[in-house]
Amino acid sequence: MNFQPRFKGFNHLILLGLLCAFAFGACKKEVIEDDTEPEIIRKSSGFIVTGTTSSGNSLVKYFDELPTGTVDLSEGKDFAEFWPTAIYNNSIYLTRTDNASGFAKMYVNEQGEIVEEKVIPTVDEGSFRIAVKDAETGVFQDRATPNLITIFNPSTLTIEGTIDMSAGIDPIDSLEQRYQRFVFRGDDVFAPIRANSGETFSGFYLHQANLTSRSYVGSTFIEAPFSGGVLTVNNFGQGMVDEMGNLYFQDGGAIGTGTFSRIYKIPAGSNQIDTSYVFEPVRLLNPGNIFYPTMNGFKLVGNGKAIARVNAETPQAAVDIVVNAGGVSNVIADQNLLNQVLNILFTAESAEWCELDLSSQTVTPIAGAPKLGANAGGGVTFELNGEIYFPIATVSEQAYYKYTPGSPSATKAFDVVGADLAGAYNIANNN
């Protein structure tokens, strides 16, 4: 007996149901595949120029090629803040740009927009130092836990662990320390300290940790020759280890104490400051500049040379205020006078970009570059095709100049308008 005609319609229904189920399953599978994160396409080269507005915001503009002529930052993107401390694999690492606590990883997308990729939260909203060693290892400090260095993966921004630094030397027991910057040499990271609340210490103090063992290694320090301590400096990036493995740091000196800004050397194979290496570029440039012996922007540029903004003199207007007030202590006690002096020191064109020979310990002002404020903004230097680009920020000029190491004579690269110059970055360069 043949039942096929009786169930023919039913079989069609079953077949139709199976086809629908198959189609639904296929569609469902496609949805799952589409749910994966799309690949991020980022610019692998180009330049970011930044500036600050009168309200304290940051204006940032990206360029595919090195700018020429005049850069108008008023056309840039407005952030609450934008202060990179590291660049690696074309990604930018910095405190969050909306003033929220934590660190951000940012990149430049196909349209030339600077966007946030991922975030590392921190407890303390004042945490500001993050650094990247390579694609797998970076470190930062959450100032809510000042005795810890946190290790993270820059590719994923996942936390890999912490290093307990509580054994590190603490110059003042009652003050917690913060790390002003992190500098890598091999598997070690070195970090100069300052009081978490901002006070300076009586000398230059440095902690060291090992990233492989995730342990504290040791401390090294030099006391300042006079009372008043020294400023520690938190410049962008790395650029502190030479071709032989010698490690260099600078301090900022101390205003009004006669303590000249100094460069410190930790020889290759050592983790201690070489006390026989005494290099004071400010003193060499002007031995009489005992009131304002500061320096900033120090960075190695290769072949035993470095660049730095060295203050050459004390502005007479500031000296007059101090003398008329009866001394530095009286100026410090009077907030109005102190503000006047600080304004003069920050704006008077008394500093020069100089090339430093770290072996012969000589200082050569870079010809063709205007003088500028000793603590002027825009201290970020970068390299392109063997030339070093450095900022000039004065009342009358905001610009980047360039020079070739070993031939310290500069020419202007481009001007900046629309905001006070803060810095420029070559995103093709790691740190």
Side-chain angles (χ1 to χ4, degrees), residues 81-290:
E81 62 174 87
F82 192 92
W83 299 102
T85 59
I87 292 177
Y88 202 89
N89 283 349
N90 322 120
S91 294
I92 307 151
Y93 299 83
L94 68 175
T95 55
R96 296 193 67 183
T97 57
D98 58 358
N99 282 332
S101 60
F103 297 104
K105 177 182 180 180
M106 305 186 77
Y107 67 98
V108 182
N109 66 17
E110 286 184 287
Q111 291 73 42
E113 301 166 329
I114 302 163
V115 295
E116 188 176 271
E117 179 180 345
K118 292 183 179 179
V119 168
I120 299 176
T122 61
V123 175
D124 193 309
E125 63 181 12
S127 302
F128 66 91
R129 203 67 210 187
I130 184 170
V132 177
K133 174 180 178 288
D134 53 39
E136 303 299 325
T137 306
V139 297
F140 69 86
Q141 183 190 38
D142 185 338
R143 288 171 61 184
T145 53
N147 288 325
L148 294 179
I149 293 176
T150 301
I151 304 174
F152 73 100
N153 184 311
S155 299
T156 62
L157 254 59
T158 54
I159 303 301
E160 303 289 340
T162 58
I163 302 174
D164 183 355
M165 301 296 290
S166 57
I169 189 168
D170 188 352
I172 304 176
D173 291 337
S174 61
L175 295 177
E176 295 177 332
Q177 94 281 327
R178 73 187 189 208
Y179 293 117
Q180 290 296 96
R181 68 183 307 176
F182 296 106
V183 176
F184 304 104
R185 186 177 69 177
D187 288 330
D188 290 331
V189 59
F190 295 79
I193 65 172
R194 184 172 179 175
N196 208 353
S197 49
E199 292 91 343
T200 59
F201 292 134
S202 59
F204 183 78
Y205 290 80
L206 193 69
H207 290 177
Q208 179 187 358
N210 184 268
L211 297 169
T212 301
S213 64
R214 298 184 182 179
S215 61
Y216 166 77
V217 172
S219 301
T220 183
F221 68 94
I222 287 183
E223 292 289 334
F226 304 105
S227 62
V230 295
L231 294 171
T232 48
V233 179
N234 54 333
N235 292 334
F236 165 82
Q238 298 293 302
M240 311 295 279
V241 182
D242 70 11
E243 297 85 347
M244 279 79 70
N246 298 307
L247 177 60
Y248 295 89
F249 283 94
Q250 70 144 115
D251 67 39
I255 297 173
T257 67
T259 299
F260 286 85
S261 178
R262 180 181 295 181
I263 294 172
Y264 305 97
K265 178 181 179 181
I266 300 177
S270 171
N271 61 2
Q272 296 293 309
I273 294 173
D274 180 0
T275 56
S276 67
Y277 185 85
V278 181
F279 188 11
E280 297 175 329
V282 180
R283 188 193 295 272
L284 293 173
L285 200 60
N286 182 359
N289 184 19
I290 61 173

